[in-house]
């Protein structure tokens, strides 16, 4: 039985994690849930799963939730702030943290959870992009498990099971191509947030959906795989596979290629992580190779001249140090500005390229610690805001 602290429980991954729990309640206990501000969803989750503790980052929302819970006679403890995530992540009664917060905010609680000996089931890729160089050594030092939830990384993990690590030649990471697959730069100039938010195969939170449209999601995933599987970024290829049936592949040194397939649903990778090394019950409708939508599986290269952030991510991954943290922070800032209508779609890429270029000379050689990564994240956000205001003046 796994005893869970689910950080970011009200989001897309958080809710699907609770679906896995709902399907087999005797396999799990829910010890803690956290969110940013969505107390309506959190309230319903408290009523259903009765956690020991919840944390809401937004203080006034946390207060509101406390009042509502008292009125209903529920005695779940409510805490707040940045500290609240750390307390939830390190709770004595839980043994596994589900990292389903979006963005860099997920790093600090994951770091503390590892220090206190928890296994980490991780969806929050930004944690590994920015902090992989401190997180993975800490995982080994503390002897806890890193259980990947991101579907590509779950696929790679499942393919690698039973193979000798030295036999791995390349990783072939698949990508749907997002809503703008096949478009030219000229066509991308005019796309709006509502177009970018319409993903063809996956239903996800807003930030990752925009990352899928710019293909930065794949860039982040290359760096995520580099950390998880200790492989150079140059040995990871992106394969655009619009049907999202093959979730990734590995090529072994004898040329054999292994792939993991299934319906595009995050429930399965969440289950694979939470039941490891066993297999859980089936919730997702079975994969049928004869269904029309699945019968033609196609593969094409990623056009990195159109989706230039993929190229930047390879460079950032190769350079390492604080460069990926800066790239990630800048991307988060630019995506938010795009969703608010402050910059256009190609402006995201422009802001991220300029921020990395400006900050690269300032960060080289800095020792990697949680503090130095947090500082680089902060500085990169300020730098990106300045670029956004300077260039777009709104
Ligand atoms: P989402 O926007 O749907 O949910 C984010 C959750 O994080 C919400 O519960 C929100 O309240 C919470 N949150 C945000 N900031 C917080 C903070 N500072 N402290 C505590 N909680 C905070 O996002 P999502 O789509 O579920 O994605 C979550 C993470 O999983 C992302 O890193 C994403 O890249 C990754 N991921 C998502 C999917 C998917 O299908 N949704 C697939 C693979 C990986
Ligand atoms: Mg993914």
């Amino acid at each position: 039985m796994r005893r869970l602290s689910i950080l970011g429980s009200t989001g897309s991954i958080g809710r699907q994690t609770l679906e896995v729990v709902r399907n087999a309640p005797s396999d799990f206990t829910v010890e803690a849930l956290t969110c940013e501000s969505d107390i309506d969803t959190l309230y319903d989750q408290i009523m259903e799963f009765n956690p020991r503790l919840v944390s809401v980052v937004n203080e006034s929302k946390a207060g509101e939730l406390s009042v509502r819970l008292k009125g209903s006679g529920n005695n779940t403890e409510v805490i707040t702030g940045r500290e609240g995530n750390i307390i939830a992540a390190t709770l004595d009664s839980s043994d596994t943290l589900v990292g389903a917060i979006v963005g860099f905010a997920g790093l600090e609680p994951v770091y503390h959870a590892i220090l206190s000996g928890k296994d980490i089931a991780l969806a929050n890729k930004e944690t590994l992009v920015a902090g992989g160089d401190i997180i993975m050594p800490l995982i080994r030092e503390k002897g806890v498990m890193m259980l990947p939830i991101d579907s590509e990384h779950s696929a790679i993990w499942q393919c690698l099971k039973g193979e000798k690590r030295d036999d791995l030649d390349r990783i072939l990471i698949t990508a749907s191509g997002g809503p703008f697959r096949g478009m030219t730069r000229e066509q991308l100039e005019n796309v709006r947030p509502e177009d970018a938010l319409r993903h063809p195969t996956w239903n996800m939170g807003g930030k990752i959906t925009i990352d899928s449209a710019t293909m930065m999601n794949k860039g982040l995933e290359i760096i995520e795989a580099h950390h998880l599987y200790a492989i150079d970024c140059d040995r990871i290829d992106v394969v655009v596979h619009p049907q999202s049936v093959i979730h990734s592949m590995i090529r072994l040194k004898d040329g054999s290629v292994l792939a993991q397939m299934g319906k595009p649903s995050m429930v399965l990778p969440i289950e694979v992580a939470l039941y490891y090394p066993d297999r859980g019950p089936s919730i997702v409708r079975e994969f049928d190779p004869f269904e029309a939508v699945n019968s033609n599986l196609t593969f094409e290269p990623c056009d990195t001249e159109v989706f230039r952030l993929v190229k930047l991510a390879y460079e950032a991954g190769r350079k390492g140090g604080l460069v990926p943290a800066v790239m990630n922070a800048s991307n988060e800032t630019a995506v938010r500005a795009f969703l608010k209508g402050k910059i256009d779609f190609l402006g995201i890429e422009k802001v991220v390229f300029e921020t990395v270029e400006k900050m690269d000379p300032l960060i080289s050689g800095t020792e990697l610690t949680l503090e130095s990564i947090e500082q680089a994240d902060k500085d990169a956000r300020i730098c990106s805001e300045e670029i956004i205001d300077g260039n777009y003046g709104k």
Side-chain angles (χ1 to χ4, degrees), residues 95-373:
D95 55 34
T96 306
L97 172 130
V98 178
I101 288 181
V102 56
F104 182 78
L107 172 63
E108 190 184 35
V110 164
Y111 182 85
H112 287 281
I114 303 169
L115 280 180
S116 64
K118 315 293 184 203
D119 289 333
I120 308 294
L122 193 67
N124 173 227
K125 62 195 78 182
E126 295 91 342
T127 281
L128 283 177
V129 171
D133 282 325
I134 59 167
I135 291 294
M136 293 312 291
L138 201 59
I139 288 273
R140 288 186 284 271
E141 187 190 320
K142 292 289 166 188
V144 297
M145 277 194 286
M146 174 57 88
L147 310 159
I149 286 181
D150 209 349
S151 58
E152 296 76 2
H153 305 77
S154 173
I156 297 161
W157 193 45
Q158 292 176 68
C159 291
L160 278 171
K161 255 192 214 171
E163 298 296 341
K164 291 201 190 90
R165 189 55 197 69
D166 285 349
D167 290 341
L168 175 65
D169 178 23
R170 294 189 84 78
I171 286 178
L172 311 177
I173 196 163
T174 51
S176 70
F180 305 143
R181 183 174 63 90
M183 280 197 183
T184 61
R185 300 280 297 174
E186 291 67 38
Q187 288 170 311
L188 288 180
E189 270 169 21
N190 300 318
V191 301
R192 298 156 307 166
E194 51 269 40
D195 306 319
L197 284 170
R198 223 173 286 126
H199 195 279
T201 47
W202 294 97
N203 184 9
M204 313 176 284
K207 195 258 173 182
I208 183 176
T209 306
I210 301 300
D211 285 345
S212 300
T214 63
M215 296 292 287
M216 177 54 123
N217 185 46
K218 223 34 64 178
L220 300 176
E221 289 182 351
I222 291 163
I223 302 176
E224 182 184 14
H226 152 71
H227 287 297
L228 283 171
Y229 305 113
I231 182 169
D232 288 346
C233 292
D234 290 323
R235 286 169 61 205
I236 304 173
D237 300 314
V238 176
V239 177
V240 175
H241 165 54
Q243 298 80 20
S244 301
V245 168
I246 292 181
H247 298 310
S248 277
M249 303 175 251
I250 62 167
R251 197 172 79 196
L252 298 168
K253 72 176 185 198
D254 61 2
S256 182
V257 173
L258 307 184
Q260 187 264 339
M261 311 207 309
K263 292 229 167 240
S265 157
M266 290 307 294
V267 170
L268 185 55
I270 293 168
E271 266 209 37
V272 172
L274 295 184
Y275 279 93
Y276 180 85
D278 299 327
R279 288 280 174 174
S282 168
I283 312 181
V284 179
R285 202 159 57 85
E286 274 158 29
F287 169 63
D288 175 2
F290 303 116
E291 265 180 36
V293 66
N294 294 326
S295 60
N296 293 310
L297 300 187
T298 60
F299 306 97
E300 51 193 79
C302 172
D303 190 342
T304 56
E305 289 310 321
V306 174
F307 298 100
R308 295 182 186 162
L309 285 170
V310 176
K311 208 162 32 173
L312 183 69
Y314 269 113
E315 274 167 35
R318 253 177 239 129
K319 278 195 176 167
L322 290 169
V323 179
V326 165
M327 181 190 73
N328 176 67
S330 174
N331 181 57
E332 286 187 33
T333 312
V335 167
R336 196 164 303 142
F338 170 66
L339 286 173
K340 282 188 184 155
K342 282 173 99 179
I343 59 173
D344 56 29
F345 186 72
L346 290 177
I348 299 175
E349 167 195 298
K350 198 165 169 216
V351 169
V352 181
F353 267 87
E354 273 188 48
T355 304
V356 171
E357 196 180 296
K358 282 202 165 130
M359 285 195 58
D360 195 359
L362 309 175
I363 53 176
S364 73
T366 312
E367 195 199 340
L368 285 188
T369 59
L370 181 61
E371 292 69 32
S372 70
I373 294 169

Side-chain angles (χ1 to χ4, degrees), residues 7-16 34-38 57 85 99-103 105 123-126 150-151 202-206 208 217 266:
L7 273 58
S9 68
T10 60
S12 161
I13 294 292
R15 283 183 271 114
Q16 292 178 85
T34 82
C35 75
E36 213 261 304
S37 58
D38 180 4
V57 177
N85 278 319
I101 288 181
V102 56
N124 173 227
K125 62 195 78 182
E126 295 91 342
D150 209 349
S151 58
W202 294 97
N203 184 9
M204 313 176 284
I208 183 176
N217 185 46
M266 290 307 294

